[in-house]
Amino acid sequence: RYHHPYTQAIAEGEIQSGADIDIALSEFDPFIEQQTSSRVSGYYDGLALQQRAIKPLQSLNASVYTEYRVSDGDFPVYEQEYETLSGGEASVGIALSLLKNREVDKRRVGVRNARLAAQQWEAEAQDLLNSFLYKGLTEYLLWYESALQVVSVESLLSRAAERERALSTRVEKGDLARATLTEFKANILEQRLLVAKLKQKRNAHARTLSYYWRDTQGEMIPITETMLSPDIHWPFSISTTQISQLRKQITQHPQLALLRMSKTVVQNKQVLAKNALLPKLDLKASLARDIGSGPNSLDGTESKVALAFSYPLGNRKAKAEQVKLVSKGRELEHKYVSSKQSIEQAFEKAYEYWVQAKEIASLQQENAELAKLLSSMELKRFDAGDSDMFTLNARASNEIKAQMKAIETNVDLLNAELMLYRVVAKLHTVNH
């Protein structure tokens, strides 16, 4: 959960999405620009320098700026706009939009969508983490089941070994036919073969499980028999109250959150497309004052106001974009309803399976206890001479099968509980 390279890779996505927000916000960072022009040859000579510091604002597509410009040399009449007093001209001004780009523009939508993208990645990361945890926990339960079955059958085998020694003594004394001992040994051999197959299965799952189980340095931890504990402190146990809570959390599923945020992104684009249809009316106002010596016409404080107007004729692209985005919004709404219904159906299916799994596990445990009792009773009958080896072996085999089935159904119940958390993508919220 914390040290695996895969989960660490998921965590890197959060850093990247945070950087994308900073990139979008950088559109409103202040900046400095400078323009220099010089006539280096010809009848007239001259130099003009203009330097401006600009701070874009998020409201009204506005920006405030301060400017300094200075000129020197001889200029013809048509270039007198560059002329200043000897100390140059300093000014401060503001530019803003009155119609198009007033409420929204690409930069502001970029910031909104960058923040939404970060939230989308968070939801996607939760979904990825839940899927990965589910794979690891499922593999753990497969190993846990096979390891418990090995322990269970080996325990029965140790009892059988003691029984074999007692039978051998009876055969040597002539109290029992050798064929009976041979039949008992054949049954033990089948049990040993079963143990070998179970160990093969257990070791294969242990190898796979070590991929998921990591130390604090992210290195794989070899899985050994000493790690097996019947009491695993299972954190995913389910009660009726938890079922109700999990059912309510379906609406928080990462896949549904992704669709909701995708719809918001589309809505932002719709607003931007609508903005593109508006006439452009931009205002620019400034105050300027020249410093130094020169023509009297440049003395004093100047105030300047400028309006820029344009209107698109046609603009089919923005209109078509609006139609496309409205359709995309409806598409996402249909997908949301479909996905929500699919998750709800999967949860109810998992819930019904869990209810049945509880009953089956309880019944199978009773069956295992009964099989153990019958095997013990058959052993007493055999010792009393009221039964034969064939029936005794059959009872012992039934006991092993019942024990293995009890372990299997108990682990299947754990899997059913795990699935309920998986369906609502809440595995990552449980303290392991």
Side-chain angles (χ1 to χ4, degrees), residues 212-392:
Y212 296 95
W213 210 328
R214 303 291 175 127
D215 60 22
T216 54
Q217 283 73 45
E219 299 296 328
M220 290 188 290
I221 300 176
I223 309 301
T224 63
E225 297 177 36
T226 57
M227 294 180 177
L228 179 66
S229 172
D231 184 9
I232 58 175
H233 305 291
W234 187 243
F236 302 102
S237 298
I238 296 290
S239 66
T240 305
T241 303
Q242 285 173 307
I243 289 291
S244 178
Q245 292 174 347
L246 289 173
R247 188 178 278 112
K248 291 178 181 178
Q249 291 175 347
I250 289 176
T251 55
Q252 302 174 22
H253 196 285
Q255 293 178 12
L256 299 181
L258 277 170
L259 288 170
R260 284 195 297 268
M261 286 181 278
S262 295
K263 189 175 180 181
T264 304
V265 170
V266 169
Q267 289 171 344
N268 288 341
K269 292 180 178 179
Q270 286 177 343
V271 173
L272 196 58
K274 184 178 180 180
N275 174 72
L277 295 172
L278 295 174
K280 182 178 181 181
L281 182 62
D282 292 345
L283 171 68
K284 187 176 181 181
S286 65
L287 291 173
R289 185 177 182 87
D290 281 76
I291 306 167
S293 60
N296 292 334
S297 61
L298 297 177
D299 280 338
T301 300
E302 297 176 335
S303 58
K304 303 175 184 179
V305 176
L307 282 173
F309 176 80
S310 66
Y311 185 73
L313 299 176
N315 209 343
R316 287 181 294 175
K317 179 180 178 182
K319 292 178 181 178
E321 189 71 20
Q322 275 195 310
V323 172
K324 179 181 177 181
L325 290 169
V326 169
S327 175
K328 185 65 177 179
R330 291 196 299 265
E331 175 193 338
L332 290 171
E333 182 61 32
H334 294 319
K335 285 184 176 179
Y336 179 87
V337 173
S338 176
S339 297
K340 185 171 181 290
Q341 290 175 348
S342 176
I343 294 170
E344 288 172 342
Q345 185 184 44
F347 182 83
E348 296 306 323
K349 179 181 177 181
Y351 170 68
E352 291 175 4
Y353 187 91
W354 169 73
V355 171
Q356 293 300 318
K358 279 202 306 180
E359 183 179 357
I360 292 172
S362 177
L363 291 172
Q364 192 59 53
Q365 186 61 43
E366 290 182 20
N367 183 53
E369 292 172 0
L370 182 59
K372 182 178 180 180
L373 178 60
L374 289 172
S375 180
S376 177
M377 292 172 60
E378 198 64 39
L379 179 59
K380 292 178 180 179
R381 291 184 65 217
F382 177 82
D383 290 338
D386 296 332
S387 180
D388 54 38
M389 183 56 66
F390 177 81
T391 305
L392 181 63

